[in-house]
Amino acid sequence: MDPRPIGVFDSGIGGLSAVRALRRLLPEEPILYLGDTARMPYGCRPAGEIDAFTGQITAWLLRRGVKALIAACGTISCNAPSLQRLPVPCFDVVSAAAEAAARRSVCGRIGLAATEATVRSGRFARAITRQTGQPVVNAACPLLAPMIEQGVTSEDPRLTAAVAEYCRPFLEHRVDTVVLGCTHYPLIAGAFAAVLGPSVTLIDCAAETAAAAAAALGQAHLLSAEGSPVGEFWFTAAPPPAALQTAARLLGQDIGSRLSLLPLA
Ligand code: DGL
């Protein structure tokens, strides 16, 4: 039994989709969340910068005594080699999501919706291809994470138009599975489902990763077995009120009162 918190981080509020999944699986676990809202979006940045920011985030979380880390961000997962050199177990969103997609796909034609930096790295697509032996249909979706970060929802016509445009290659290539390879996208899964229809399976990379982390930490006897979990939510800039509403809908909890600001940059 280990009462130390699990550190979960992202460029913004997207990683809260991993917190939602962790809470369902491990209701006893304390979670320390950090979203780098001041420097979001990461998806348009070069890999070296993403890795440098990631180093600052993980150093802070480690100083706060986390027992494990979840890089709840596809962009960080694919562009931060420093994640390989951490002194505690660290889970990125690539392998669990790639395995889940290959398991669920019947025809092996899989699409990847992600940020520009994730698509450019090729890491997510390679992980899927290793499982299926087939090329992946990539769609970089640069507008989505910034819109979600502003609190734009699945019902907003600007967002549904962008999703429809980004999903065109998936429909053209008749994929049967799409990996939501950015942790912001599970927050607008309804918009993807509306465009792609019921025959396409959506893979939530944050939920898959939370499940893999929960299993691995359980096997390593690193879970906290008792007590009521205290969640701490840190951001490098205050999220807009509409984004906090999105977060409250997602978590079933208003995080406004538990929110702290960290001047990281
Ligand atoms: N949630 C991040 C990801 O999974 C967001 C992207 C961004 O900051 O551009 O890739």
Side-chain angles (χ1 to χ4, degrees), residues 10-11 14 40-43 72-75 115 118 145 181-184:
D10 177 41
S11 61
M40 195 276 165
Y42 277 21
C73 173
T75 307
T115 66
T118 296
C182 166
T183 53
H184 280 74

Side-chain angles (χ1 to χ4, degrees), residues 100-111 128-129 131-137 169-178 199-201:
R103 228 178 18 249
R104 304 276 301 274
S105 173
V106 175
C107 68
R109 279 192 305 279
I110 294 174
I128 297 168
T129 296
Q131 305 280 333
T132 61
Q134 296 200 42
V136 167
V137 180
F170 301 147
L171 296 169
E172 276 163 26
H173 289 86
R174 289 185 289 115
V175 304
D176 72 352
T177 303
V178 169
S199 61
V200 175
T201 302

